Amino acid sequence: MLVVNAIFNSYSQTPIGAITYGNINNPQFIVFDEKLPRSSNALETLNANLRLDQNDQYLPTQQITDKLGNTHQKYQQYYKGVKVAAATYCVHYALDNQIAAISGNYFPIDQFNVVPTLSEADALTKALTIINAQAYMWQNPQNEQWLRTITNDSSATFYPEGELMVYSVTDSLDSISYHLSYQFNVICSQPFNSEVIVIDALNGALINRFSTFSNAIGTACTRYSGTAQPIETTLNTITNVWELRDNTRGGGIYTFDMDPDDDGIGGTNPTIGSVDFEDGD
């Protein structure tokens, strides 16, 4: 849904919203009119346009500058101090250092309990019971020593550390449920595998699991099918990034960027001058 709006910032009383793509209460993409006054304050812009309350917070995680000199800042959503999975927003600056657009995924969580009843240790026990591998990397002292050597960190270990987070589950196109969960990255030695497993921090139920080798299910915000839709991605073991390649259907469905130079001149042949869409996780 395309919504043309004129939202006013309570701080500056100047228009901050121009064209919103997505739901007005949960926009995925907002473009600001360059002819109107624009802000250079990322957090103020996120707070006002996403209508965050006192329980929500966005913290910066990454900043890059593209080939044209535009700056892009990535922010992670937290609810009552707990990380929200798959909830990042990017602030895009124009060359004049004013904000041109914001895009991403925001979860409007309301009255959610972030106090776990299950300990991290108990959650890991449940995760290992579900995985049921014959052996794990941290159980072999030689594996642990190898990791410490290559990382130059005497405390490095393969032993999984749980990350407490708010995890969203799409029940339908219009319904999302939230689960306080522990997320673990478990590396098995027999059989060899690396798996992310998510355990409910209140009742110990399995919320999600996927291998970090080869194909894995990612989460996408789509224009026509809602948010948090599952997509198949493939790990490039050479570059160690995930590519938008689905090898589970037919001969494979591959999505390419036909304009990798961002010069506005796109190609027509995916085998010439195109690149994969990539993401670190």
Side-chain angles (χ1 to χ4, degrees):
M1 179 175 66
L2 173 63
V3 180
V4 179
N5 61 347
I7 306 174
F8 286 84
N9 188 328
S10 60
Y11 300 101
S12 61
Q13 297 300 313
T14 58
I16 60 170
I19 300 179
T20 300
Y21 296 86
N23 191 302
I24 187 66
N25 296 317
N26 186 11
Q28 277 77 57
F29 187 37
I30 299 178
V31 181
F32 301 111
D33 192 338
E34 62 181 9
K35 298 178 182 179
L36 297 176
R38 290 174 292 139
S39 173
S40 60
N41 189 312
L43 291 178
E44 180 181 291
T45 300
L46 290 173
N47 286 334
N49 283 271
L50 300 181
R51 304 177 184 180
L52 307 181
D53 65 23
Q54 61 182 1
N55 293 320
D56 292 310
Q57 183 183 23
Y58 271 92
L59 296 180
T61 60
Q62 184 182 23
Q63 177 172 308
I64 63 171
T65 301
D66 62 26
K67 295 179 180 179
L68 298 179
N70 301 97
T71 298
H72 308 271
Q73 296 175 341
K74 189 174 183 179
Y75 289 81
Q76 169 67 51
Q77 180 187 353
Y78 288 81
Y79 178 79
K80 295 182 180 179
V82 178
K83 181 179 178 179
V84 181
T88 59
Y89 235 86
C90 194
V91 178
H92 310 278
Y93 286 84
L95 291 177
D96 61 1
N97 291 323
Q98 301 299 300
I99 297 174
I102 58 176
S103 62
N105 202 22
Y106 161 66
F107 290 104
I109 305 170
D110 183 35
Q111 301 302 315
F112 183 77
N113 177 27
V114 295
V115 180
T117 57
L118 194 70
S119 70
E120 178 184 335
D122 288 340
L124 178 59
T125 297
K126 290 183 178 294
L128 297 182
T129 300
I130 293 171
I131 295 174
N132 194 29
Q134 298 176 33
Y136 299 95
M137 289 291 286
W138 65 88
Q139 293 175 332
N140 188 328
Q142 292 181 335
N143 293 336
E144 294 284 85
Q145 184 56 49
W146 172 81
L147 180 63
R148 292 163 186 165
T149 300
I150 65 170
T151 60
N152 195 28
D153 182 357
S154 60
S155 62
T157 178
F158 284 108
Y159 191 82
E161 181 178 351
E163 182 178 13
L164 187 67
M165 62 176 60
V166 180
Y167 207 89
S168 63
V169 175
T170 303
D171 301 315
S172 67
L173 288 180
D174 300 316
S175 176
I176 297 177
S177 60
Y178 300 101
H179 301 263
L180 185 66
S181 305
Y182 291 104
Q183 178 172 291
F184 299 94
N185 185 9
V186 179
I187 303 180
C188 312
S189 56
Q190 294 182 10
F192 187 61
N193 188 27
S194 177
E195 187 167 353
V196 170
I197 187 163
V198 182
I199 300 296
D200 193 298
L202 300 182
N203 57 30
L206 174 65
I207 301 299
N208 195 12
R209 64 183 296 188
F210 55 89
S211 173
T212 59
F213 289 162
S214 189
N215 291 355
I217 297 176
T219 306
C221 300
T222 69
R223 177 167 294 181
Y224 301 110
S225 300
T227 63
Q229 294 301 302
I231 57 170
E232 289 284 343
T233 60
T234 300
L235 177 65
N236 185 323
T237 56
I238 298 176
T239 60
N240 200 35
V241 295
W242 292 92
E243 298 172 345
L244 199 53
R245 293 184 173 221
D246 182 352
N247 293 313
T248 66
R249 308 183 190 192
I253 300 175
Y254 305 152
T255 306
F256 295 99
D257 184 356
M258 304 293 286
D259 184 24
D261 295 326
D262 295 324
D263 57 4
I265 303 175
T268 58
N269 189 335
T271 64
I272 301 176
S274 62
V275 296
D276 282 281
F277 285 101
E278 300 176 338
D279 195 87
D281 58 3

Short mmCIF file of all heavy atoms in Angstrom, two decimals, residues 179-233:
data_model
loop_
_atom_site.label_atom_id
_atom_site.label_comp_id
_atom_site.label_asym_id
_atom_site.label_seq_id
_atom_site.Cartn_x
_atom_site.Cartn_y
_atom_site.Cartn_z
N HIS A 179 8.02 -14.00 20.77
CA HIS A 179 8.49 -14.98 21.74
C HIS A 179 9.82 -14.50 22.31
O HIS A 179 10.75 -14.19 21.56
CB HIS A 179 8.68 -16.34 21.08
CG HIS A 179 7.43 -16.90 20.45
ND1 HIS A 179 6.62 -17.81 21.09
CD2 HIS A 179 6.85 -16.65 19.25
CE1 HIS A 179 5.60 -18.11 20.30
NE2 HIS A 179 5.72 -17.42 19.18
N LEU A 180 9.91 -14.45 23.62
CA LEU A 180 11.19 -14.20 24.27
C LEU A 180 12.00 -15.49 24.15
O LEU A 180 11.56 -16.54 24.62
CB LEU A 180 10.99 -13.82 25.73
CG LEU A 180 12.26 -13.41 26.49
CD1 LEU A 180 12.85 -12.12 25.94
CD2 LEU A 180 11.96 -13.28 27.97
N SER A 181 13.17 -15.41 23.52
CA SER A 181 13.88 -16.63 23.15
C SER A 181 15.39 -16.50 23.37
O SER A 181 15.93 -15.40 23.41
CB SER A 181 13.62 -16.97 21.69
OG SER A 181 12.23 -17.06 21.42
N TYR A 182 16.03 -17.66 23.49
CA TYR A 182 17.48 -17.75 23.43
C TYR A 182 17.87 -18.27 22.06
O TYR A 182 17.31 -19.26 21.58
CB TYR A 182 18.02 -18.72 24.49
CG TYR A 182 17.88 -18.26 25.92
CD1 TYR A 182 16.91 -18.81 26.75
CD2 TYR A 182 18.75 -17.31 26.45
CE1 TYR A 182 16.79 -18.42 28.08
CE2 TYR A 182 18.65 -16.91 27.78
CZ TYR A 182 17.66 -17.47 28.58
OH TYR A 182 17.55 -17.07 29.89
N GLN A 183 18.85 -17.62 21.45
CA GLN A 183 19.37 -18.11 20.17
C GLN A 183 20.79 -18.61 20.36
O GLN A 183 21.64 -17.91 20.90
CB GLN A 183 19.34 -17.01 19.11
CG GLN A 183 19.91 -17.45 17.77
CD GLN A 183 19.70 -16.42 16.67
OE1 GLN A 183 18.58 -16.18 16.23
NE2 GLN A 183 20.78 -15.79 16.24
N PHE A 184 21.04 -19.84 19.90
CA PHE A 184 22.36 -20.46 20.01
C PHE A 184 22.89 -20.82 18.62
O PHE A 184 22.11 -21.20 17.74
CB PHE A 184 22.29 -21.76 20.83
CG PHE A 184 21.81 -21.59 22.24
CD1 PHE A 184 20.46 -21.77 22.55
CD2 PHE A 184 22.69 -21.26 23.26
CE1 PHE A 184 20.01 -21.63 23.86
CE2 PHE A 184 22.25 -21.12 24.56
CZ PHE A 184 20.91 -21.29 24.86
N ASN A 185 24.21 -20.71 18.45
CA ASN A 185 24.87 -21.24 17.26
C ASN A 185 25.66 -22.46 17.71
O ASN A 185 26.68 -22.34 18.40
CB ASN A 185 25.78 -20.19 16.64
CG ASN A 185 26.38 -20.68 15.32
OD1 ASN A 185 25.99 -21.72 14.80
ND2 ASN A 185 27.34 -19.96 14.79
N VAL A 186 25.20 -23.64 17.33
CA VAL A 186 25.78 -24.90 17.79
C VAL A 186 26.55 -25.54 16.63
O VAL A 186 25.98 -25.79 15.56
CB VAL A 186 24.68 -25.86 18.29
CG1 VAL A 186 25.30 -27.18 18.74
CG2 VAL A 186 23.89 -25.21 19.43
N ILE A 187 27.84 -25.80 16.85
CA ILE A 187 28.68 -26.43 15.84
C ILE A 187 28.94 -27.88 16.25
O ILE A 187 29.52 -28.14 17.31
CB ILE A 187 29.99 -25.67 15.64
CG1 ILE A 187 29.70 -24.21 15.26
CG2 ILE A 187 30.83 -26.33 14.54
CD1 ILE A 187 30.94 -23.38 15.04
N CYS A 188 28.51 -28.79 15.41
CA CYS A 188 28.66 -30.22 15.68
C CYS A 188 29.88 -30.76 14.94
O CYS A 188 30.17 -30.31 13.82
CB CYS A 188 27.41 -30.99 15.23
SG CYS A 188 25.85 -30.26 15.77
N SER A 189 30.57 -31.72 15.53
CA SER A 189 31.71 -32.36 14.86
C SER A 189 31.34 -33.71 14.27
O SER A 189 31.93 -34.14 13.29
CB SER A 189 32.88 -32.52 15.84
OG SER A 189 32.49 -33.24 16.99
N GLN A 190 30.32 -34.37 14.86
CA GLN A 190 29.84 -35.64 14.33
C GLN A 190 28.31 -35.69 14.44
O GLN A 190 27.79 -35.80 15.56
CB GLN A 190 30.44 -36.82 15.10
CG GLN A 190 31.93 -36.99 14.94
CD GLN A 190 32.44 -38.21 15.70
OE1 GLN A 190 31.68 -39.02 16.19
NE2 GLN A 190 33.76 -38.33 15.80
N PRO A 191 27.59 -35.58 13.33
CA PRO A 191 28.06 -35.21 11.99
C PRO A 191 28.43 -33.72 11.94
O PRO A 191 27.89 -32.93 12.73
CB PRO A 191 26.86 -35.52 11.10
CG PRO A 191 25.69 -35.30 12.01
CD PRO A 191 26.13 -35.78 13.36
N PHE A 192 29.32 -33.36 11.05
CA PHE A 192 29.79 -31.98 10.98
C PHE A 192 28.68 -31.08 10.47
O PHE A 192 28.14 -31.28 9.39
CB PHE A 192 31.01 -31.88 10.08
CG PHE A 192 31.64 -30.52 10.09
CD1 PHE A 192 32.15 -30.00 11.27
CD2 PHE A 192 31.71 -29.76 8.95
CE1 PHE A 192 32.74 -28.74 11.31
CE2 PHE A 192 32.30 -28.50 8.96
CZ PHE A 192 32.81 -27.99 10.14
N ASN A 193 28.33 -30.08 11.28
CA ASN A 193 27.25 -29.17 10.91
C ASN A 193 27.31 -27.95 11.83
O ASN A 193 27.84 -28.01 12.95
CB ASN A 193 25.88 -29.84 11.05
CG ASN A 193 24.76 -28.99 10.49
OD1 ASN A 193 24.97 -28.18 9.59
ND2 ASN A 193 23.56 -29.16 11.02
N SER A 194 26.82 -26.84 11.35
CA SER A 194 26.67 -25.63 12.16
C SER A 194 25.22 -25.20 12.08
O SER A 194 24.68 -25.01 10.98
CB SER A 194 27.58 -24.51 11.63
OG SER A 194 27.38 -23.32 12.37
N GLU A 195 24.60 -25.10 13.23
CA GLU A 195 23.16 -24.87 13.25
C GLU A 195 22.79 -23.78 14.24
O GLU A 195 23.30 -23.72 15.36
CB GLU A 195 22.43 -26.17 13.62
CG GLU A 195 20.92 -26.09 13.51
CD GLU A 195 20.26 -27.46 13.57
OE1 GLU A 195 20.99 -28.46 13.57
OE2 GLU A 195 19.03 -27.52 13.62
N VAL A 196 21.90 -22.88 13.81
CA VAL A 196 21.32 -21.89 14.69
C VAL A 196 19.99 -22.45 15.18
O VAL A 196 19.16 -22.90 14.38
CB VAL A 196 21.10 -20.55 13.97
CG1 VAL A 196 20.27 -19.61 14.84
CG2 VAL A 196 22.44 -19.90 13.65
N ILE A 197 19.79 -22.42 16.50
CA ILE A 197 18.56 -22.97 17.07
C ILE A 197 18.01 -21.96 18.08
O ILE A 197 18.76 -21.37 18.86
CB ILE A 197 18.81 -24.35 17.71
CG1 ILE A 197 17.49 -25.00 18.14
CG2 ILE A 197 19.81 -24.29 18.85
CD1 ILE A 197 17.60 -26.49 18.37
N VAL A 198 16.70 -21.74 18.02
CA VAL A 198 16.04 -20.73 18.84
C VAL A 198 15.06 -21.44 19.78
O VAL A 198 14.16 -22.17 19.33
CB VAL A 198 15.29 -19.72 17.96
CG1 VAL A 198 14.64 -18.64 18.83
CG2 VAL A 198 16.24 -19.08 16.95
N ILE A 199 15.24 -21.20 21.09
CA ILE A 199 14.44 -21.86 22.12
C ILE A 199 13.65 -20.81 22.90
O ILE A 199 14.20 -19.79 23.32
CB ILE A 199 15.34 -22.65 23.10
CG1 ILE A 199 16.14 -23.72 22.34
CG2 ILE A 199 14.51 -23.27 24.21
CD1 ILE A 199 15.28 -24.80 21.72
N ASP A 200 12.36 -21.06 23.10
CA ASP A 200 11.52 -20.15 23.87
C ASP A 200 12.04 -20.04 25.30
O ASP A 200 12.24 -21.06 25.98
CB ASP A 200 10.07 -20.66 23.87
CG ASP A 200 9.08 -19.62 24.38
OD1 ASP A 200 9.20 -19.21 25.54
OD2 ASP A 200 8.18 -19.22 23.61
N ALA A 201 12.26 -18.81 25.77
CA ALA A 201 12.85 -18.59 27.09
C ALA A 201 11.83 -18.70 28.21
O ALA A 201 12.19 -18.58 29.39
CB ALA A 201 13.51 -17.20 27.14
N LEU A 202 10.56 -18.95 27.87
CA LEU A 202 9.53 -19.10 28.90
C LEU A 202 9.13 -20.55 29.10
O LEU A 202 8.92 -21.00 30.22
CB LEU A 202 8.30 -18.26 28.54
CG LEU A 202 8.53 -16.74 28.40
CD1 LEU A 202 7.21 -16.05 28.09
CD2 LEU A 202 9.16 -16.17 29.66
N ASN A 203 9.03 -21.31 27.98
CA ASN A 203 8.54 -22.68 28.11
C ASN A 203 9.46 -23.73 27.48
O ASN A 203 9.15 -24.92 27.52
CB ASN A 203 7.13 -22.81 27.51
CG ASN A 203 7.08 -22.37 26.05
OD1 ASN A 203 8.06 -22.49 25.32
ND2 ASN A 203 5.93 -21.86 25.63
N GLY A 204 10.57 -23.31 26.86
CA GLY A 204 11.52 -24.26 26.29
C GLY A 204 11.14 -24.83 24.95
O GLY A 204 11.81 -25.74 24.46
N ALA A 205 10.10 -24.29 24.34
CA ALA A 205 9.67 -24.82 23.04
C ALA A 205 10.63 -24.40 21.94
O ALA A 205 11.31 -23.37 22.03
CB ALA A 205 8.26 -24.32 22.71
N LEU A 206 10.72 -25.21 20.89
CA LEU A 206 11.53 -24.88 19.72
C LEU A 206 10.80 -23.83 18.89
O LEU A 206 9.66 -24.04 18.47
CB LEU A 206 11.79 -26.14 18.89
CG LEU A 206 12.52 -25.92 17.55
CD1 LEU A 206 13.94 -25.43 17.79
CD2 LEU A 206 12.53 -27.21 16.73
N ILE A 207 11.47 -22.69 18.64
CA ILE A 207 10.88 -21.62 17.84
C ILE A 207 11.36 -21.70 16.40
O ILE A 207 10.59 -21.56 15.45
CB ILE A 207 11.21 -20.25 18.44
CG1 ILE A 207 10.68 -20.16 19.87
CG2 ILE A 207 10.61 -19.14 17.58
CD1 ILE A 207 9.18 -20.31 19.99
N ASN A 208 12.65 -21.93 16.22
CA ASN A 208 13.20 -22.01 14.86
C ASN A 208 14.56 -22.70 14.90
O ASN A 208 15.24 -22.71 15.94
CB ASN A 208 13.36 -20.61 14.26
CG ASN A 208 13.57 -20.65 12.75
OD1 ASN A 208 13.39 -21.68 12.11
ND2 ASN A 208 13.96 -19.51 12.18
N ARG A 209 14.96 -23.29 13.79
CA ARG A 209 16.29 -23.87 13.65
C ARG A 209 16.65 -23.88 12.17
O ARG A 209 15.80 -24.06 11.30
CB ARG A 209 16.36 -25.29 14.22
CG ARG A 209 15.48 -26.28 13.51
CD ARG A 209 15.49 -27.67 14.13
NE ARG A 209 16.80 -28.31 14.05
CZ ARG A 209 17.02 -29.58 14.40
NH1 ARG A 209 16.00 -30.33 14.84
NH2 ARG A 209 18.22 -30.11 14.31
N PHE A 210 17.92 -23.64 11.87
CA PHE A 210 18.37 -23.71 10.49
C PHE A 210 19.88 -23.90 10.48
O PHE A 210 20.59 -23.47 11.36
CB PHE A 210 17.99 -22.46 9.69
CG PHE A 210 18.46 -21.16 10.28
CD1 PHE A 210 19.71 -20.64 9.95
CD2 PHE A 210 17.64 -20.45 11.14
CE1 PHE A 210 20.13 -19.45 10.50
CE2 PHE A 210 18.07 -19.25 11.68
CZ PHE A 210 19.32 -18.73 11.36
N SER A 211 20.34 -24.58 9.44
CA SER A 211 21.77 -24.81 9.26
C SER A 211 22.42 -23.56 8.69
O SER A 211 21.83 -22.87 7.86
CB SER A 211 22.01 -26.00 8.33
OG SER A 211 23.39 -26.13 8.03
N THR A 212 23.62 -23.27 9.13
CA THR A 212 24.37 -22.15 8.56
C THR A 212 25.28 -22.62 7.44
O THR A 212 26.08 -21.84 6.92
CB THR A 212 25.20 -21.43 9.63
OG1 THR A 212 26.12 -22.36 10.22
CG2 THR A 212 24.31 -20.85 10.71
N PHE A 213 25.16 -23.88 7.07
CA PHE A 213 25.87 -24.41 5.92
C PHE A 213 24.91 -24.50 4.74
O PHE A 213 23.73 -24.82 4.90
CB PHE A 213 26.43 -25.81 6.19
CG PHE A 213 27.58 -25.82 7.17
CD1 PHE A 213 27.94 -26.99 7.81
CD2 PHE A 213 28.29 -24.67 7.43
CE1 PHE A 213 29.01 -27.01 8.70
CE2 PHE A 213 29.35 -24.68 8.33
CZ PHE A 213 29.71 -25.85 8.96
N SER A 214 25.42 -24.25 3.57
CA SER A 214 24.67 -24.39 2.33
C SER A 214 23.38 -23.57 2.40
O SER A 214 23.40 -22.40 2.73
CB SER A 214 24.36 -25.86 2.06
OG SER A 214 23.82 -26.03 0.78
N ASN A 215 22.23 -24.19 2.09
CA ASN A 215 20.97 -23.45 2.06
C ASN A 215 20.44 -23.22 3.48
O ASN A 215 20.60 -24.04 4.36
CB ASN A 215 19.90 -24.22 1.27
CG ASN A 215 20.22 -24.27 -0.20
OD1 ASN A 215 21.18 -23.66 -0.64
ND2 ASN A 215 19.42 -24.98 -0.96
N ALA A 216 19.82 -22.06 3.68
CA ALA A 216 19.14 -21.77 4.95
C ALA A 216 17.99 -20.83 4.67
O ALA A 216 18.01 -20.06 3.72
CB ALA A 216 20.11 -21.16 5.96
N ILE A 217 16.99 -20.92 5.53
CA ILE A 217 15.82 -20.06 5.37
C ILE A 217 16.10 -18.70 6.01
O ILE A 217 16.44 -18.62 7.19
CB ILE A 217 14.57 -20.71 6.00
CG1 ILE A 217 14.24 -22.01 5.27
CG2 ILE A 217 13.37 -19.76 5.94
CD1 ILE A 217 13.09 -22.77 5.88
N GLY A 218 15.96 -17.64 5.22
CA GLY A 218 16.09 -16.28 5.73
C GLY A 218 14.72 -15.64 5.86
O GLY A 218 13.68 -16.29 5.64
N THR A 219 14.70 -14.37 6.23
CA THR A 219 13.45 -13.64 6.41
C THR A 219 13.45 -12.40 5.52
O THR A 219 14.43 -11.67 5.48
CB THR A 219 13.27 -13.21 7.87
OG1 THR A 219 13.40 -14.35 8.70
CG2 THR A 219 11.89 -12.60 8.09
N ALA A 220 12.36 -12.19 4.79
CA ALA A 220 12.28 -11.08 3.85
C ALA A 220 11.06 -10.21 4.12
O ALA A 220 10.01 -10.70 4.54
CB ALA A 220 12.23 -11.60 2.42
N CYS A 221 11.22 -8.90 3.88
CA CYS A 221 10.10 -7.97 3.87
C CYS A 221 9.70 -7.79 2.41
O CYS A 221 10.51 -7.33 1.61
CB CYS A 221 10.48 -6.64 4.48
SG CYS A 221 11.01 -6.74 6.19
N THR A 222 8.49 -8.17 2.06
CA THR A 222 8.06 -8.12 0.66
C THR A 222 7.04 -7.03 0.44
O THR A 222 6.35 -6.60 1.37
CB THR A 222 7.46 -9.47 0.24
OG1 THR A 222 6.21 -9.66 0.92
CG2 THR A 222 8.38 -10.62 0.59
N ARG A 223 6.94 -6.59 -0.79
CA ARG A 223 6.00 -5.51 -1.11
C ARG A 223 4.57 -6.02 -1.14
O ARG A 223 3.65 -5.31 -0.75
CB ARG A 223 6.37 -4.88 -2.46
CG ARG A 223 5.39 -3.79 -2.90
CD ARG A 223 5.93 -2.98 -4.06
NE ARG A 223 7.10 -2.21 -3.66
CZ ARG A 223 7.77 -1.40 -4.46
NH1 ARG A 223 7.40 -1.26 -5.72
NH2 ARG A 223 8.81 -0.72 -4.03
N TYR A 224 4.35 -7.24 -1.61
CA TYR A 224 2.99 -7.72 -1.81
C TYR A 224 2.57 -8.84 -0.88
O TYR A 224 1.38 -9.16 -0.80
CB TYR A 224 2.83 -8.19 -3.27
CG TYR A 224 3.10 -7.11 -4.28
CD1 TYR A 224 4.24 -7.16 -5.08
CD2 TYR A 224 2.24 -6.03 -4.42
CE1 TYR A 224 4.51 -6.17 -6.01
CE2 TYR A 224 2.50 -5.03 -5.34
CZ TYR A 224 3.64 -5.10 -6.13
OH TYR A 224 3.89 -4.11 -7.03
N SER A 225 3.51 -9.46 -0.18
CA SER A 225 3.15 -10.62 0.65
C SER A 225 3.42 -10.41 2.12
O SER A 225 3.52 -11.36 2.88
CB SER A 225 3.91 -11.85 0.15
OG SER A 225 3.60 -12.13 -1.18
N GLY A 226 3.56 -9.15 2.55
CA GLY A 226 3.74 -8.88 3.96
C GLY A 226 5.18 -8.97 4.40
O GLY A 226 6.10 -9.11 3.59
N THR A 227 5.39 -8.89 5.71
CA THR A 227 6.74 -8.89 6.28
C THR A 227 7.09 -10.26 6.83
O THR A 227 6.25 -11.12 7.02
CB THR A 227 6.85 -7.85 7.40
OG1 THR A 227 5.95 -8.22 8.45
CG2 THR A 227 6.49 -6.46 6.90
N ALA A 228 8.38 -10.44 7.10
CA ALA A 228 8.90 -11.66 7.72
C ALA A 228 8.52 -12.92 6.95
O ALA A 228 8.16 -13.94 7.52
CB ALA A 228 8.42 -11.77 9.17
N GLN A 229 8.60 -12.84 5.61
CA GLN A 229 8.31 -14.00 4.79
C GLN A 229 9.57 -14.86 4.63
O GLN A 229 10.67 -14.33 4.46
CB GLN A 229 7.81 -13.57 3.41
CG GLN A 229 6.47 -12.85 3.45
CD GLN A 229 5.40 -13.72 4.06
OE1 GLN A 229 5.13 -14.82 3.59
NE2 GLN A 229 4.79 -13.25 5.13
N PRO A 230 9.45 -16.19 4.71
CA PRO A 230 10.63 -17.05 4.59
C PRO A 230 11.15 -17.09 3.16
O PRO A 230 10.38 -17.17 2.20
CB PRO A 230 10.11 -18.42 5.02
CG PRO A 230 8.64 -18.37 4.73
CD PRO A 230 8.21 -16.95 4.95
N ILE A 231 12.47 -16.99 2.99
CA ILE A 231 13.10 -17.12 1.68
C ILE A 231 14.31 -18.04 1.81
O ILE A 231 14.94 -18.09 2.86
CB ILE A 231 13.54 -15.76 1.11
CG1 ILE A 231 14.50 -15.06 2.10
CG2 ILE A 231 12.36 -14.88 0.77
CD1 ILE A 231 15.18 -13.85 1.53
N GLU A 232 14.60 -18.76 0.76
CA GLU A 232 15.77 -19.62 0.74
C GLU A 232 16.99 -18.81 0.32
O GLU A 232 16.94 -18.06 -0.65
CB GLU A 232 15.56 -20.78 -0.23
CG GLU A 232 14.55 -21.81 0.24
CD GLU A 232 15.11 -22.72 1.32
OE1 GLU A 232 16.35 -22.77 1.48
OE2 GLU A 232 14.32 -23.38 2.02
N THR A 233 18.08 -18.95 1.06
CA THR A 233 19.33 -18.29 0.71
C THR A 233 20.44 -19.34 0.69
O THR A 233 20.29 -20.43 1.24
CB THR A 233 19.69 -17.19 1.72
OG1 THR A 233 19.83 -17.78 3.02
CG2 THR A 233 18.60 -16.13 1.78
#
